[in-house]
Amino acid sequence: MAVGVEKKLELLPVKGFRLGIASAGIKKPGRRDVVVMEVPVDATLAAVFTRNQFCAAPVVLAKKHLASGALPRYLLVNTGNANAGTGAAGLIAAADCCAALAEKTRVDTESVLPFSTGVIGEPLPVAKIVAALDAALDNLDENHWLEAAHGIMTTDTRPKGHSVVIEHQGKQITLTGISKGSGMIMPNMATMLGYVATDAVVDANLLQRLLSQVNEQSFNRITVDGDTSTNDACLLVATGQSGVEVSDLEPALMDKFVAGLREVMLELAQAIVKDGEGATKFVEVRVERAANVDEALKVAYTIAHSPLVKTALFASDPNWGRILACVGRAGVQDLDVDEVNIWLDDVAIVRNGGRAESYTEAQGQAVMNQENILIRVSLNRGQVQESIWTTDLSHDYVKINAEYRS
């Protein structure tokens, strides 16, 4: 189950960035569950990772390899096993996979970055992954973005990807990205796994700054269930093969590039919410006129994480008192409740802290019957506005997660 009609993905190749897919049979025989991505020699790379302190072995090792100063040349992704909660043995397993790929491609082991997603606490089947590497390498191609989007899925019901072409002074820059994620989504960093590449020339420090900036506006503004994964990682690679340089010295191009990157990452982030486990509603919670970002997000996440609000959304029940209660318990200091206004889409449900005189149950019901819903809250305390995107909580979410390991 997912919200909305599945889009046909048309993902554009990025010069110099190749992707290969293979089947290791990690969880299901015949399923393509290993993806290798090849990064060209002159590329730059930026990354953000989960803030979960029980971060998975591949996250620990990827950070270590990046810190070594080695040039990242290959990204190795497996699904079906998270290699998280596996202790020292998990680190050895991740390192063994990196070493095997490094040997086959004649690069330093530190030039391979590992990524895993799947069940937590199970030993990584190193032999199966290593056995699939030759097939993945033989499959490397710039046009395999869609295949890779399928290859990194777990409980996802559909692949997630997006491409943007930026035109500037007769030249073009391409941005393409894929992501996976459906449950255990409150990134507090990025999504479970996300990969974006561009053929622009971008300095490594600037690339990291842009990724961190846009990540806050996209992957860090979604939640399905309030759970931050042990394996979250998001990477941005600039191959430089378009020859078009993005820098602070050319503000017009910089603005276009940031807008394009934001479009790709927001599309990927929202696709995760729309494909949330058991989701039947896609919901934007927008908090307006807050005093600062922190209090806006407090209110937004309190609403989005409330089981009572989420189940009301699933039932299409305009039980607006649940939303009102969330605003009051969100922890906003010295909140003047008489100044709070709340809308469902453009239907006013609360004005000046009480039920809007114009509100009718029929109006609320009409909005709640929709697949796409906007919950808008005005605190009337300042000029800050923030949005997050979330889902309802359905029977299927419980069923999917109750049967996840079966």
Side-chain angles (χ1 to χ4, degrees):
M1 183 181 295
V3 179
V5 177
E6 182 176 354
K7 297 179 181 178
K8 181 181 178 181
L9 299 181
E10 296 183 1
L11 304 180
L12 301 175
V14 174
K15 294 176 185 177
F17 192 84
R18 301 197 299 166
L19 309 93
I21 306 90
S23 174
I26 294 171
K27 189 174 181 181
K28 296 180 180 179
R31 189 195 184 288
R32 295 196 291 179
D33 50 14
V34 169
V35 178
V36 173
M37 305 181 197
E38 184 182 67
V39 178
V41 173
D42 296 330
T44 53
L45 182 146
V48 286
F49 296 95
T50 182
R51 294 175 188 163
N52 191 316
Q53 294 188 58
F54 264 111
C55 57
V59 171
V60 173
L61 198 60
K63 286 182 174 181
K64 182 180 178 181
H65 286 184
L66 286 169
S68 74
L71 183 68
R73 291 298 317 284
Y74 290 92
L75 315 179
L76 173 57
V77 188
N78 76 267
T79 65
N81 185 298
N83 194 13
T86 49
L91 288 169
I92 293 170
D96 286 346
C97 290
C98 290
L101 182 55
E103 182 179 359
K104 290 177 182 296
T105 55
R106 296 184 177 86
V107 300
D108 294 334
T109 299
E110 290 77 14
S111 293
V112 179
L113 306 182
F115 305 89
S116 299
T117 180
V119 177
I120 293 171
E122 299 291 335
L124 187 71
V126 175
K128 287 184 176 181
I129 294 171
V130 171
L133 293 180
D134 284 336
L137 290 169
D138 289 342
N139 188 247
L140 286 171
D141 194 288
E142 290 181 359
N143 292 293
H144 281 175
W145 282 96
L146 182 57
E147 291 83 351
H150 280 280
I152 63 175
M153 290 167 55
T154 50
T155 58
D156 308 60
T157 68
R158 55 175 73 156
K160 300 164 181 67
H162 193 65
S163 289
V164 167
V165 175
I166 298 167
E167 303 276 353
H168 184 72
Q169 296 181 351
K171 298 179 180 179
Q172 288 187 341
I173 294 174
T174 300
L175 289 125
T176 293
I178 57 174
S179 67
K180 65 83 50 187
S182 191
M184 196 177 274
I185 299 295
M186 183 192 168
N188 197 18
M189 178 289 310
T191 179
M192 287 188 68
L193 292 177
Y195 305 94
V196 181
T198 178
D199 53 10
V201 179
V202 190
D203 172 79
N205 291 331
L206 174 58
L207 197 69
Q208 184 66 54
R209 189 184 89 202
L210 295 178
L211 174 61
S212 299
Q213 171 189 328
V214 177
N215 177 59
E216 283 299 316
Q217 302 162 349
S218 56
F219 289 126
N220 261 5
R221 293 293 184 267
I222 63 170
T223 181
V224 169
D225 44 27
D227 279 300
T228 295
S229 168
T230 54
N231 291 63
D232 290 346
C234 180
L235 273 73
L236 174 59
V237 175
T239 70
Q241 296 199 8
S242 70
V244 182
E245 183 174 4
V246 174
S247 77
D248 291 318
L249 298 177
E250 195 164 358
L253 177 56
M254 175 67 80
D255 289 346
K256 289 181 182 180
F257 184 80
V258 171
L261 180 61
R262 184 181 296 114
E263 178 182 331
V264 171
M265 291 179 64
L266 190 57
E267 181 73 22
L268 296 178
Q270 292 185 355
I272 289 170
V273 176
K274 291 175 182 177
D275 195 29
E277 288 171 340
T280 70
K281 307 282 188 180
F282 175 70
V283 184
E284 178 183 353
V285 183
R286 184 188 303 163
V287 178
E288 303 171 349
R289 300 198 64 187
N292 53 60
V293 171
D294 180 64
E295 72 177 30
L297 292 179
K298 276 183 179 179
V299 172
Y301 279 116
T302 302
I303 294 169
H305 289 158
S306 166
L308 291 177
V309 172
K310 293 173 86 69
T311 49
L313 288 163
F314 174 60
S316 299
D317 177 13
N319 192 342
W320 58 269
R322 295 180 176 182
I323 302 171
L324 183 75
C326 286
V327 177
R329 69 176 175 86
V332 176
Q333 294 297 313
D334 302 317
L335 177 66
D336 185 348
V337 297
D338 291 335
E339 292 293 324
V340 173
N341 299 317
I342 305 174
W343 296 262
L344 291 174
D345 281 3
D346 59 354
V347 174
I349 56 177
V350 173
R351 285 202 184 278
N352 300 323
R355 176 172 173 151
E357 291 184 4
S358 61
Y359 176 71
T360 66
E361 188 81 357
Q363 290 175 321
Q365 189 65 64
V367 175
M368 293 295 275
N369 287 341
Q370 301 169 178
E371 269 195 329
N372 297 285
I373 296 171
L374 169 63
I375 298 173
R376 184 159 60 96
V377 178
S378 175
L379 300 180
N380 281 315
R381 290 164 55 89
Q383 299 303 317
V384 174
Q385 175 177 308
E386 290 287 342
S387 287
I388 65 167
W389 293 271
T390 191
T391 67
D392 56 343
L393 181 61
S394 70
H395 304 302
D396 282 347
Y397 177 86
V398 177
K399 187 173 189 297
I400 289 166
N401 285 283
E403 300 175 352
Y404 181 63
R405 297 200 304 160
S406 63

